[in-house]
Amino acid sequence: MIRHPLARVAGIAASTALAALALVALPAAAAAADGDVLGDDAVLFVDPHSTTLEAAASLGGQARADAQLLGSLPSSTWLTKGTPDEVRDAAASTASHATAAGAVPVFVVYNLPFRDCAQYSAGGALDTAAYQAWIDGVAEGIGDTEAAIILEPDGLGIIPWYTDINGNAEWCQPAELDPATAAADRFAQLNYAVDALTALPNTAVYLDGTHPGWLGVGDISDRLLKGGVDRADGFFLNASNYIDTPRLQKYGHWISDCLWLETQVPWWEASWCASQYYPATSSDFSTWTLTDQKYDADLAGAGLARDAEAQAHFVADTSRNGQGAWTPPDWEGDIEAWCNPPDRGAGELPTTATGDPYLDAYLWIKVPGESDGKCYRGTGGPLDPIRGIEDPAAGEWFPEQARELIALASPAIASPTCHVRYEATKPWRGAFVGDLVITNLGAEPIAGWTLAWHWAGRERLVKAIGASGSQAADAVTVTSGKLTSKIRAGGKTAFAFIGKDAQSRVEPWQFTLNGRPCTSE
């Protein structure tokens, strides 16, 4: 997508160089020439070394199959820690694998000082200088690679020592930060990141737009402008949350319209923007058309037409929103409705073909199957009183939730139609041999197949027996031979191989047969 910078500067020091452009829309030719990073035909990257498949390697039975199935679909790579050199190398590794696959990686850049206000996802850089150096590392690692960048979940939703557009003080007030400068520091950090990452030739960068169960449209639009959305590609919604897609679409369109009014109409104030709270009633989706109508009237009254090419775009996290937000029971204390709610399902599969000119992609920003944290819901813990178990720590694999996300997915996620049994000998001086048995779990026979996997280290395929094989970097491709090509429904076939350069017993984390994921053991 071509960046279409919004014209008005939001009073941030990092944006002062654009002040002369206030209230003037930049022509498309002046926008950064990114190409169409998230165009309708973009292929989103499936990471063969993802944390999801890493989790699968230590699981068995249904839990293993669930992790392998979720790991077969595109989800984000989170960059959350490390030195500038370490994050550079991590970003470069993923970018390199994505380029080899002809796909676009989605990076979540998540390392702001006092991220999540030091709650469940505590951590982040020590200060602004450390953060800027870390961002420079991310940028160096991505380089010329095509990449979508989700910049700092909660970065604009939770701002230390901030006073919002309505004069309300932010609840996040860490004693370690100076109340006089903390909010300005947050905006300076985000503006630096926007400039560093949009300066790359093939990136699409999105800032935190929260979700419609949280901030009103005017409030988040004002924060987005202060955060540098005028120089980014847009904003993201629903990261790590559960709001259903129809609500996200309306909310995203309203934010885009509010930003359009605020940047193009000299007398407009973001606080005037209609929202999910007025004239709509937040809890009654049937009333949200009232806010649609209000924007129609406000734009017409300002003599301003919508322009999908020039307005801010957005992406939406659909990793866990197939059943929408959880309606919790009556509860004394904080129910933590956002924290591992039960009986949720995955939503729309990741794609850039949304049919909405403002909505660039459905993405799985939150890695589905990874825990939101240890949810005590106002109790002393350690059990989650709703689930009756102790939830894994934030970011750790949660088998029970993964099962729910697949079983209750809307739309449904197709089940694997193949299974691979893999056995290999312990390497001797780096050499090893193995055999694989492929089972056709589908209802139709297979006539000719290609099996693919990735090694985890420096292993090399020397020869396939009963098939033909090749390898590029760590990616192995094996094609059926005359005697192994046909597999009846419910039937099996097998082949063997010779390998070298193994340092330990190695089992690939994922196999695909004719491009479709298989379960494995």
Side-chain angles (χ1 to χ4, degrees):
M1 141 186 77
I2 301 294
R3 265 187 206 108
H4 302 286
L6 298 174
R8 181 174 173 184
V9 178
I12 302 299
S15 301
T16 54
L18 298 180
L21 299 178
L23 309 179
V24 179
L26 291 180
D34 287 17
D36 211 12
V37 174
L38 291 184
D40 286 353
D41 59 350
V43 176
L44 296 173
F45 179 51
V46 179
D47 188 352
H49 306 293
S50 67
T51 55
T52 301
L53 295 178
E54 183 179 11
S58 64
L59 298 169
Q62 185 65 58
R64 178 185 176 92
D66 288 343
Q68 289 176 328
L69 180 55
L70 291 173
S72 73
L73 298 164
S75 60
S76 300
T77 297
W78 285 62
L79 303 174
T80 65
K81 59 185 179 181
T83 66
D85 286 348
E86 288 169 341
V87 76
R88 176 201 62 207
D89 293 346
S93 176
T94 298
S96 176
H97 280 100
T99 298
V104 178
V106 178
F107 290 104
V108 180
V109 174
Y110 189 54
N111 198 39
L112 278 171
F114 279 86
R115 70 183 184 205
D116 196 31
C117 202
Q119 297 185 105
Y120 289 78
S121 298
L126 292 178
D127 54 31
T128 296
Y131 181 69
Q132 292 176 347
W134 188 85
I135 286 292
D136 290 343
V138 173
E140 185 179 354
I142 294 173
D144 294 344
T145 305
E146 284 195 338
I149 300 173
I150 305 302
L151 183 56
E152 299 294 351
D154 294 335
L156 289 171
I158 303 174
I159 302 173
W161 291 102
Y162 184 63
T163 299
D164 70 19
I165 196 171
N166 299 310
N168 300 312
E170 175 68 71
W171 60 268
C172 177
Q173 300 180 355
E176 299 92 327
L177 296 182
D178 184 348
T181 61
D185 288 346
R186 170 61 57 87
F187 290 124
Q189 292 153 6
L190 289 171
N191 274 270
Y192 184 91
V194 166
D195 289 338
L197 297 171
T198 59
L200 301 175
N202 295 303
T203 55
V205 179
Y206 300 88
L207 282 161
D208 175 28
T210 70
H211 61 73
W214 194 352
L215 298 182
V217 172
D219 191 0
I220 188 55
S221 297
D222 183 64
R223 298 181 191 210
L224 283 164
L225 283 168
K226 292 175 181 175
V229 75
D230 53 307
R231 304 181 312 286
D233 296 84
F235 52 93
F236 61 87
L237 302 178
N238 201 47
S240 303
N241 217 283
Y242 301 84
I243 306 297
D244 58 276
T245 300
R247 284 176 169 78
L248 298 178
Q249 284 189 269
K250 282 192 179 294
Y251 187 64
H253 278 265
W254 296 341
I255 293 172
S256 184
D257 283 350
C258 181
L259 290 169
W260 193 228
L261 285 161
E262 174 70 357
T263 58
Q264 303 304 304
V265 180
W267 42 265
W268 188 266
E269 298 291 341
S271 60
W272 300 344
C273 288
S275 75
Q276 69 274 35
Y277 300 115
Y278 182 82
T281 300
S282 178
S283 60
D284 183 357
F285 190 60
S286 69
T287 69
W288 286 32
T289 55
L290 297 175
T291 294
D292 292 335
Q293 294 164 12
K294 183 67 164 60
Y295 277 104
D296 290 342
D298 288 341
L299 289 165
L304 191 61
R306 289 188 176 93
D307 185 346
E309 287 296 309
Q311 288 182 238
H313 288 198
F314 62 99
V315 296
D317 186 354
T318 57
S319 61
R320 306 185 297 177
N321 75 342
Q323 298 297 324
W326 178 46
T327 302
D330 291 336
W331 194 263
E332 292 185 8
D334 186 358
I335 190 61
E336 298 175 339
W338 54 270
C339 193
N340 297 327
D343 301 326
R344 302 303 91 197
E348 284 84 0
L349 298 182
T351 181
T352 58
T354 68
D356 183 332
Y358 293 83
L359 176 54
D360 290 339
Y362 299 127
L363 301 176
W364 283 8
I365 296 173
K366 170 70 175 181
V367 177
E370 292 185 355
S371 175
D372 292 320
K374 293 182 178 295
C375 312
Y376 300 155
R377 309 189 194 280
T379 71
L383 298 183
D384 178 340
I386 293 295
R387 290 183 172 274
I389 59 176
E390 184 173 354
D391 298 344
E396 293 184 4
W397 193 252
F398 196 168
E400 291 83 357
Q401 187 184 73
R403 177 89 291 269
E404 294 166 358
L405 291 174
I406 293 171
L408 299 172
S410 179
I413 300 174
S415 298
T417 57
C418 53
H419 178 79
V420 175
R421 190 190 73 203
Y422 174 96
E423 294 183 353
T425 62
K426 184 177 180 179
W428 182 75
R429 294 186 177 180
F432 64 109
V433 296
D435 65 84
L436 294 94
V437 178
I438 303 171
T439 302
N440 178 7
L441 302 177
E444 300 295 329
I446 296 172
W449 49 264
T450 298
L451 186 73
W453 71 85
H454 288 255
W455 295 121
R458 297 180 300 179
E459 301 79 16
R460 302 293 300 176
L461 179 70
V462 176
K463 182 178 178 61
I465 303 167
S468 59
S470 62
Q471 183 170 349
D474 61 8
V476 178
T477 302
V478 176
T479 303
S480 56
K482 290 183 178 180
L483 299 179
T484 59
S485 63
K486 295 182 180 180
I487 316 176
R488 63 178 176 81
K492 301 179 180 182
T493 194
F495 69 93
F497 70 86
I498 301 170
K500 66 176 183 178
D501 296 342
Q503 295 179 310
S504 61
R505 188 185 299 273
V506 175
E507 179 180 346
W509 290 347
Q510 177 110 77
F511 295 90
T512 62
L513 188 71
N514 294 341
R516 296 287 302 278
C518 303
T519 57
S520 68
E521 59 178 300

